[in-house]
């Protein structure tokens, strides 16, 4: 990577291009995107995100999911001050980021997201004061709706 980072979100597109979104290093939270073409085995390349007036910023522990042919969804994350619920769509062809529909609640992720059967899944798992807490964030693409399942969300109905 051109910018050393931890807690970044990694996904692979088309079995050949590895993307690293956001993350942090010892100095700051990063808002950059880098990619590596595994077939060419050249160096990582940086994609600087243009600020179009939305909240794309440096943070870590976001979740990424490859969706459709040329799109990656990036959602949630945190910085040293708070958790975020924003969702973004990255267009691989144009290298542009667009605003998506926010999660129901702010969340950070330590796992890879999954796309399956028209839905996007992100698993948020934390240890709060010795108690394990989990939430499964589910985006129904057809209905354009986020839902939430968790160990304290007793009244929510899953879309599974």
């Amino acid at each position: 990577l051109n910018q050393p980072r931890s807690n970044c979100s990694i996904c692979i597109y088309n079995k050949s291009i590895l993307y690293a979104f956001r993350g942090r290093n010892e100095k700051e939270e990063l808002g950059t995107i880098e990619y590596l073409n595994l077939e060419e085995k050249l160096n990582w390349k940086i994609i600087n995100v243009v600020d179009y007036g939305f909240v794309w910023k440096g943070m870590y522990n976001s979740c990424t999911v490859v969706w459709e042919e040329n799109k990656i969804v990036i959602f949630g994350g945190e910085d040293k001050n708070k958790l975020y619920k924003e969702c973004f769509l990255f267009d691989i062809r144009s290298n542009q980021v667009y605003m998506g529909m926010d999660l129901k609640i702010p969340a950070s992720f330590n796992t890879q997201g999954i796309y399956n059967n028209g839905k996007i899944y992100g698993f948020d798992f934390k240890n709060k004061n010795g108690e394990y807490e989990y939430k499964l964030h589910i985006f129904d693409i057809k209905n354009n709706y986020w839902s939430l399942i968790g160990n304290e969300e007793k009244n929510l109905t899953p879309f599974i």
Side-chain angles (χ1 to χ4, degrees), residues 41-58:
K41 297 180 183 162
L42 298 174
N43 295 325
W44 285 87
K45 295 179 183 162
I46 294 178
I47 299 169
N48 287 309
V49 178
V50 177
D51 184 358
Y52 292 106
F54 49 76
V55 190
W56 180 266
K57 59 178 273 177

Side-chain angles (χ1 to χ4, degrees), residues 21 25 56 59 68 74 81 117 126 138 141 146:
F21 292 85
N25 58 33
W56 180 266
M59 66 177 70
E68 288 192 344
I74 307 107
N81 298 312
N117 202 21
K126 290 185 183 50
I138 305 166
I141 294 167
W146 280 101

Side-chain angles (χ1 to χ4, degrees), residues 111-124:
T111 59
Q112 176 67 45
I114 298 168
Y115 171 72
N116 184 45
N117 202 21
K119 293 182 177 73
I120 292 172
Y121 300 88
F123 190 68
D124 175 17

Side-chain angles (χ1 to χ4, degrees), residues 1-24:
L1 292 165
N2 291 294
Q3 294 180 303
R5 62 184 79 204
S6 65
N7 301 90
C8 60
S9 302
I10 300 285
C11 64
I12 191 158
Y13 170 72
N14 205 23
K15 299 181 183 177
S16 64
I17 301 174
L18 189 62
Y19 282 90
F21 292 85
R22 296 177 161 163
R24 66 179 171 177

Side-chain angles (χ1 to χ4, degrees), residues 1-154:
L1 292 165
N2 291 294
Q3 294 180 303
R5 62 184 79 204
S6 65
N7 301 90
C8 60
S9 302
I10 300 285
C11 64
I12 191 158
Y13 170 72
N14 205 23
K15 299 181 183 177
S16 64
I17 301 174
L18 189 62
Y19 282 90
F21 292 85
R22 296 177 161 163
R24 66 179 171 177
N25 58 33
E26 57 279 342
K27 296 178 186 174
E28 62 186 337
E29 288 92 14
L30 302 170
T32 53
I33 302 168
E34 294 194 48
Y35 71 97
L36 175 67
N37 187 322
L38 299 173
E39 292 174 357
E40 294 174 4
K41 297 180 183 162
L42 298 174
N43 295 325
W44 285 87
K45 295 179 183 162
I46 294 178
I47 299 169
N48 287 309
V49 178
V50 177
D51 184 358
Y52 292 106
F54 49 76
V55 190
W56 180 266
K57 59 178 273 177
M59 66 177 70
Y60 53 94
N61 289 343
S62 294
C63 191
T64 55
V65 178
V66 175
W67 171 58
E68 288 192 344
E69 187 174 324
N70 293 301
K71 295 180 178 68
I72 297 174
V73 179
I74 307 107
F75 52 95
E78 63 184 293
D79 63 22
K80 61 185 173 189
N81 298 312
K82 70 180 224 178
L83 296 173
Y84 292 88
K85 64 181 182 176
E86 285 78 14
C87 178
F88 299 93
L89 187 63
F90 175 69
D91 185 309
I92 292 168
R93 288 176 289 191
S94 67
N95 286 336
Q96 292 190 359
V97 176
Y98 302 94
M99 196 76 186
M101 179 173 275
D102 288 351
L103 298 168
K104 287 206 167 276
I105 62 171
S108 69
F109 300 88
N110 291 315
T111 59
Q112 176 67 45
I114 298 168
Y115 171 72
N116 184 45
N117 202 21
K119 293 182 177 73
I120 292 172
Y121 300 88
F123 190 68
D124 175 17
F125 178 79
K126 290 185 183 50
N127 183 343
K128 275 183 146 176
N129 301 322
E131 295 290 321
Y132 291 102
E133 178 182 295
Y134 68 89
K135 291 178 178 62
L136 181 62
H137 300 259
I138 305 166
F139 187 67
D140 184 313
I141 294 167
K142 181 180 176 185
N143 296 308
N144 199 33
Y145 181 78
W146 280 101
S147 63
L148 183 68
I149 303 170
N151 57 337
E152 78 250 358
E153 272 51 8
K154 305 293 184 210

